[in-house]
Amino acid sequence: MEIITQTNRTMLFDEVNPEKLDLLTMVGDVKGMDSLDDDKIKEIRDTLMVKNFDEFLDKFEPVVYSFFNAHNQQVVYTLKKPENLPESYVTPIYINVDNDFLKMLLTLINAKGAQGLANVDFKFDKVLDMISPKKVMDDIRQARKEIRYVFGQYDELDDEDPKKLDVGDKLNYLFEKASTNYNNVMAMLPLAIEDIKTRLLLGAGDSGQNEVFKAGYLTMGETGELKIVEIEQDSGTDLALLEDKTATGLISAFEEDYDSLNEDEVKSDYVRDLVIRTFVPLTTTVGSDIDTEIEVNNYNNYLDFYKTTKDAFIKTVKPLIEKILGVKLFFDQYRAKVKGMAPTLLIANCKVEMMVKASNLPRIITFLNTVNDKNDFDNTIWFGIVPAIELEVDSTVKLQRQRFAGNKKEKKSDLVTVESLAQLLQVMKSYRVQTFFSFQTGEDTSFNYVATEGLEKFKDKCSSLLRKDYSEFAIPCLPNFTIVPKNKSGLVLDQRMTIQENGAAALSQEKEDLLKMWIEGVYIGASFVAAGIVASYQCPEFLRTHFRNVTPKYPGVRFDIEAKDNALYIPITLAKEISGFTNNIKAEINRQNFGFIFSSENAQLKGKDIRQIMVYKTRSLMSVENEYESIYKTLVTTYVQRMLRFFSHDYKQDNIIEFFSKNPASQKSQWLSTRDYLNSVMQEGDDIDYKIDERDHVCMIDITFNGNIRNLEVEIDRKTNEAF
């Protein structure tokens, strides 16, 4: 570990935010260049590399853009920034942990993981309704409680008190978060919906039956009788019913904040009052001047518009959300009590099709030549991730007439063709980057599909990648993970409102007035998780969290997760999805050991149920005697080659001989004398030997893995140590 300090730098070959810098742009023109300078590599690393999920969101700021079409009165969402519209007409919606859709999915993953329930048993609807207006308002209530608390602290402190400045910093942050949506009508819609409901249904109580409401107070009459007297309100105000110093101060603060952040042409008295009513809990509008008919009409229009636009937003944002969740799950696999060689991710931020163009490949080659072909291993790329490989879905039967509503097969955009993947793998092979790839997400690549249909479709798709010199660096990963199944992705937004005979507003109980929407399923490419778990167990500290017999001297390049009960000790973080594969399906998988396969099986370890998905197979597309090879063999071979290159000073013959000598200090002797650790580079039954071909100036290295031999050739430098 002193020489090669990391064996898990991973590169994501995909675009996250086209407005941010990408690898091709940063590398630039490389005509006549064999390598990039150190400053350029540092700039690329500082810009494109992330060490955790939060840093990923901060650096790349995943975003969806929205704008309005006045012709059809609709909101348009796009992942690409519109270039023909003024910026003032386009609203960026940043997909971060404060976004209700992403927040809901993260909560769902955590809730399902905590319960360990399969998809059939988990109550998805209990979490999905987090994006309903009612649940959005719950978050606002929590935020306004915190604002009120901090504002109260701030107001009580003397102006000269230094602590007031610290509290002021907190308050500025809270107001900044609240203000991001002042002029975002779409973000204000859930607030407007709940605001109208609160004001119109104040008299409904738990019975659901509503009466016309007028605010009053309890008093005693002249003869001692109890009576509730209507409060006479100043018709010129809508604000606080109760005298409260903090509320009054907050009202003024939000009024001033809204007015200062919005120009006169976009200011709205209604939105200003809505902001105040939303964030100041002691204010309400219950005056007798409420026009119930107008408010009910507004409520129903808001609700319909919210459903329509939320549908459009989710349809647009889902591919981006799946990438974001993929990155999250890549980092989530690293669970170590003591942080050691934690995985890092370099985001190329450009599409594979763009990277493999003849004009752009030299840039990728020059970059990899710089980081992977030197004896400085700090920036070496060991793994790659390519999600969303195009997979032809089963064609439906052609019908002469569409009699009933059926599924519409829409071709997904931004998929990677196998041809483009092959071009990329041709480069990855030269720099020994093991590339995890997964197929397009959806029901046709899920656990349910594999459990019923098997692997034949995926094998057929990979057939053109077999028996190639890059096959050992191609790792197909499946099944993809289901976050929200298509058939369980419905949620109730709310009910429409009606006006009763007594003139009061009430929520409709009619079935047709119940507004539902369908997310249509959310899935994550298996390549993110496969790369994440392999990158994680490269770290000795990670292995020591789960196993005892681990040495800090070596990374986990030789660790075989398929062996013994290793997979049971380090399941992935996602909960089981199905009850398991049938014996026939498992027999099919075991027959050739195809791919990096995850399993959702019932299992126990030391009497404790395993409720998470486990790794079942870890194979590349390289085959020997009709069986696919384990990925650790390629990884060990790469590690040996790089260690040999370092110690032999770029394959000088005398140094190679010393590397493999019987001298107790030689690298071979050290590896063979420490076989007993879980992460030893050479295990029991392993061996390493070499032969030098003087005529062709080639050193042929044989690495034996429990009887199976892997060959490696390096071109030697015949200069002696003295000449060096």
Side-chain angles (χ1 to χ4, degrees):
M1 292 293 288
E2 293 92 359
I3 307 303
I4 297 181
T5 56
Q6 62 87 14
T7 58
N8 58 4
R9 177 72 50 80
T10 306
M11 188 168 173
L12 173 59
F13 296 95
D14 205 351
E15 183 180 70
V16 176
N17 185 345
E19 295 300 311
K20 295 289 184 178
L21 285 171
D22 60 75
L23 185 62
L24 293 177
T25 301
M26 296 192 72
V27 171
D29 184 22
V30 294
K31 190 174 182 180
M33 296 172 59
D34 184 59
S35 176
L36 304 173
D37 61 40
D38 290 349
D39 288 338
K40 175 58 69 175
I41 293 299
K42 182 179 184 304
E43 181 190 7
I44 290 172
R45 185 181 64 221
D46 292 346
T47 305
L48 301 180
M49 193 189 82
V50 294
K51 298 177 182 178
N52 52 59
F53 181 60
D54 290 336
E55 187 180 8
F56 165 72
L57 293 179
D58 288 341
K59 278 190 176 182
F60 288 91
E61 296 184 308
V63 63
V64 174
Y65 300 95
S66 72
F67 55 92
F68 300 94
N69 185 344
H71 176 70
N72 58 13
Q73 296 292 297
Q74 290 184 352
V75 185
V76 181
Y77 294 99
T78 176
L79 295 176
K80 295 181 180 178
K81 189 175 183 180
E83 297 179 352
N84 57 344
L85 284 176
E87 286 203 14
S88 59
Y89 293 165
V90 178
T91 301
I93 303 170
Y94 293 100
I95 311 302
N96 52 37
V97 292
D98 293 320
N99 176 266
D100 61 348
F101 188 48
L102 180 58
K103 188 191 304 182
M104 177 269 290
L105 293 172
L106 293 175
T107 302
L108 191 152
I109 291 172
N110 291 337
K112 192 169 181 290
Q115 290 183 272
L117 294 177
N119 291 345
V120 70
D121 297 318
F122 185 74
K123 305 297 183 185
F124 287 91
D125 58 317
K126 301 297 183 184
V127 182
L128 291 178
D129 74 346
M130 281 181 62
I131 61 175
S132 68
K134 178 176 61 177
K135 293 296 184 178
V136 172
M137 194 62 196
D138 285 344
D139 289 340
I140 295 293
R141 289 189 181 98
Q142 180 61 38
R144 76 185 185 187
K145 185 190 296 185
E146 189 173 354
I147 289 173
R148 179 182 175 83
Y149 171 69
V150 177
F151 186 85
Q153 288 182 318
Y154 182 82
D155 200 41
E156 289 177 3
L157 294 170
D158 293 335
D159 291 342
E160 293 79 16
D161 191 336
K163 186 178 179 181
K164 188 163 188 172
L165 299 178
D166 295 333
V167 178
D169 288 339
K170 293 181 183 178
L171 201 56
N172 281 327
Y173 173 72
L174 293 171
F175 265 74
E176 184 67 26
K177 288 183 69 176
S179 68
T180 55
N181 294 323
Y182 284 174
N183 61 350
N184 184 349
V185 177
M186 286 309 304
M188 298 301 288
L189 264 184
L191 312 184
I193 290 168
E194 287 302 301
D195 174 66
I196 293 174
K197 188 194 294 186
T198 299
R199 290 185 286 115
L200 293 187
L201 303 182
L202 275 173
D206 295 330
S207 67
Q209 299 299 314
N210 198 16
E211 299 289 340
V212 175
F213 179 80
K214 292 184 179 181
Y217 62 92
L218 181 64
T219 186
M220 287 185 178
E222 294 180 1
T223 59
E225 76 278 12
L226 291 174
K227 60 181 178 179
I228 298 175
V229 180
E230 181 182 349
I231 297 173
E232 294 183 7
Q233 297 193 54
D234 183 350
S235 60
T237 64
D238 295 316
L239 299 177
L241 292 174
L242 302 176
E243 289 296 329
D244 186 297
K245 181 183 176 183
T246 301
T248 304
L250 278 173
I251 290 166
S252 298
F254 273 108
E255 277 184 335
E256 189 277 331
D257 196 43
Y258 176 84
D259 288 338
S260 64
L261 290 175
N262 290 280
E263 299 177 1
D264 290 337
E265 58 266 24
V266 297
K267 284 181 183 176
S268 164
D269 291 341
Y270 180 85
V271 174
R272 184 196 295 109
D273 289 346
L274 177 60
V275 168
I276 294 169
R277 290 196 299 269
T278 299
F279 287 102
V280 186
L282 291 182
T283 67
T284 186
T285 305
V286 294
S288 58
D289 59 344
I290 292 180
D291 189 321
T292 303
E293 185 175 348
I294 289 177
E295 294 285 7
V296 168
N297 188 54
N298 282 344
Y299 173 87
N300 289 331
N301 286 337
Y302 291 165
L303 199 56
D304 287 334
F305 196 72
Y306 181 77
K307 177 187 181 302
T308 302
T309 53
K310 203 69 176 179
D311 272 336
F313 171 77
I314 288 174
K315 190 173 185 179
T316 301
V317 80
K318 259 201 310 183
L320 177 59
I321 285 281
E322 291 180 347
K323 292 178 192 178
I324 294 171
L325 291 175
V327 172
K328 174 75 164 58
L329 289 175
F330 170 84
F331 285 112
D332 279 356
Q333 304 317 308
Y334 184 72
R335 297 148 283 157
K337 292 178 181 178
V338 178
K339 299 298 180 185
M341 188 177 68
T344 53
L345 191 62
L346 187 78
I347 315 288
N349 200 33
C350 46
K351 298 175 182 177
V352 171
E353 272 72 10
M354 181 63 69
M355 298 179 77
V356 299
K357 286 184 177 180
S359 56
N360 290 331
L361 265 181
R363 301 187 184 197
I364 305 302
I365 291 171
T366 302
F367 170 73
L368 289 172
N369 205 42
T370 307
V371 297
N372 276 35
D373 242 15
K374 292 183 177 180
N375 289 336
D376 178 1
F377 304 103
D378 288 347
N379 297 301
T380 301
I381 306 295
W382 293 78
F383 306 121
I385 299 173
V386 183
I389 302 298
E390 186 178 45
L391 184 70
E392 292 81 8
V393 296
D394 296 329
S395 58
T396 55
V397 178
K398 292 184 178 180
L399 303 174
Q400 292 183 341
R401 179 170 172 263
Q402 189 80 16
R403 295 164 178 82
F404 306 99
N407 286 311
K408 294 181 180 179
K409 294 291 184 181
E410 295 183 4
K411 184 176 176 61
K412 292 187 176 183
S413 59
D414 295 336
L415 297 178
V416 180
T417 64
V418 171
E419 290 75 17
S420 294
L421 175 62
Q423 289 178 275
L424 184 67
L425 288 170
Q426 191 68 46
V427 175
M428 296 302 105
K429 170 263 305 180
S430 301
Y431 298 96
R432 302 195 67 85
V433 178
Q434 291 176 266
T435 305
F436 299 84
F437 66 90
S438 50
F439 300 95
Q440 65 186 69
T441 56
E443 289 182 302
D444 295 321
T445 55
S446 67
F447 273 89
N448 273 329
Y449 181 90
V450 173
T452 55
E453 302 293 334
L455 301 176
E456 202 59 42
K457 180 171 67 174
F458 307 103
K459 290 180 181 177
D460 290 344
K461 192 64 178 179
C462 293
S463 59
S464 62
L465 305 176
L466 301 177
R467 293 176 293 281
K468 303 291 193 300
D469 54 0
Y470 55 70
S471 296
E472 68 172 306
F473 300 97
I475 307 170
C477 308
L478 60 151
N480 290 329
F481 300 98
T482 302
I483 304 303
V484 182
K486 182 178 178 180
N487 64 336
K488 289 179 175 263
S489 64
L491 68 139
V492 175
L493 288 177
D494 218 318
Q495 298 156 284
R496 289 190 178 90
M497 201 178 285
T498 61
I499 299 177
Q500 301 176 123
E501 292 182 1
N502 62 5
L507 294 177
S508 174
Q509 301 302 310
E510 300 296 328
K511 184 178 179 180
E512 59 268 19
D513 286 333
L514 191 69
L515 262 70
K516 294 186 70 174
M517 64 178 291
W518 294 84
I519 294 174
E520 297 290 332
V522 177
Y523 307 87
I524 298 176
S527 54
F528 287 101
V529 182
I533 194 69
V534 175
S536 293
Y537 67 62
Q538 294 308 303
C539 174
E541 295 298 340
F542 174 87
L543 291 174
R544 288 172 69 178
T545 299
H546 305 279
F547 303 94
R548 291 183 179 179
N549 190 28
V550 176
T551 175
K553 289 181 60 177
Y554 304 128
V557 292
R558 177 60 177 84
F559 177 72
D560 182 8
I561 196 171
E562 282 189 42
K564 302 179 181 177
D565 289 334
N566 291 346
L568 298 181
Y569 281 96
I570 50 172
I572 69 168
T573 55
L574 291 171
K576 289 194 306 182
E577 293 193 19
I578 60 173
S579 58
F581 298 139
T582 64
N583 289 332
N584 286 339
I585 296 297
K586 282 189 279 191
E588 179 191 348
I589 295 172
N590 290 325
R591 196 159 40 245
Q592 288 187 311
N593 293 313
F594 169 86
F596 195 112
I597 309 296
F598 293 97
S599 70
S600 177
E601 299 285 323
N602 291 322
Q604 282 191 344
L605 180 65
K606 297 179 179 178
K608 184 179 179 181
D609 288 338
I610 305 296
R611 296 184 177 275
Q612 284 76 41
I613 290 170
M614 296 171 292
V615 175
Y616 193 57
K617 297 293 177 184
T618 55
R619 307 300 176 108
S620 70
L621 291 180
M622 179 182 183
S623 59
V624 177
E625 297 180 356
N626 294 321
E627 182 172 306
Y628 295 98
E629 284 278 73
S630 296
I631 64 172
Y632 77 81
K633 296 179 182 179
T634 299
L635 192 53
V636 171
T637 304
T638 301
Y639 183 77
V640 169
Q641 183 200 51
R642 287 172 179 166
M643 289 289 283
L644 177 62
R645 189 176 72 197
F646 179 86
F647 280 110
S648 66
H649 305 298
D650 295 322
Y651 309 124
K652 289 182 171 53
Q653 184 169 335
D654 287 358
N655 291 335
I656 291 175
I657 294 171
E658 175 60 27
F659 186 92
F660 290 104
S661 73
K662 295 182 179 180
N663 184 332
S666 74
Q667 189 60 63
K668 175 183 175 179
S669 296
Q670 291 183 45
W671 283 340
L672 293 179
S673 65
T674 54
R675 296 172 183 258
D676 298 332
Y677 295 104
L678 182 76
N679 59 328
S680 297
V681 177
M682 294 286 119
Q683 303 276 332
E684 285 298 325
D686 295 353
D687 200 359
I688 184 169
D689 209 347
Y690 78 107
K691 180 180 180 182
I692 291 178
D693 186 329
E694 296 280 359
R695 186 184 65 180
D696 293 332
H697 312 306
V698 171
C699 176
M700 293 169 287
I701 302 164
D702 292 336
I703 306 174
T704 303
F705 298 104
N706 198 24
N708 180 262
I709 299 177
R710 177 65 68 90
N711 305 115
L712 174 67
E713 280 191 7
V714 296
E715 188 174 339
I716 63 174
D717 183 345
R718 299 185 64 183
K719 295 178 182 177
T720 63
N721 281 326
E722 289 76 11
F724 176 71

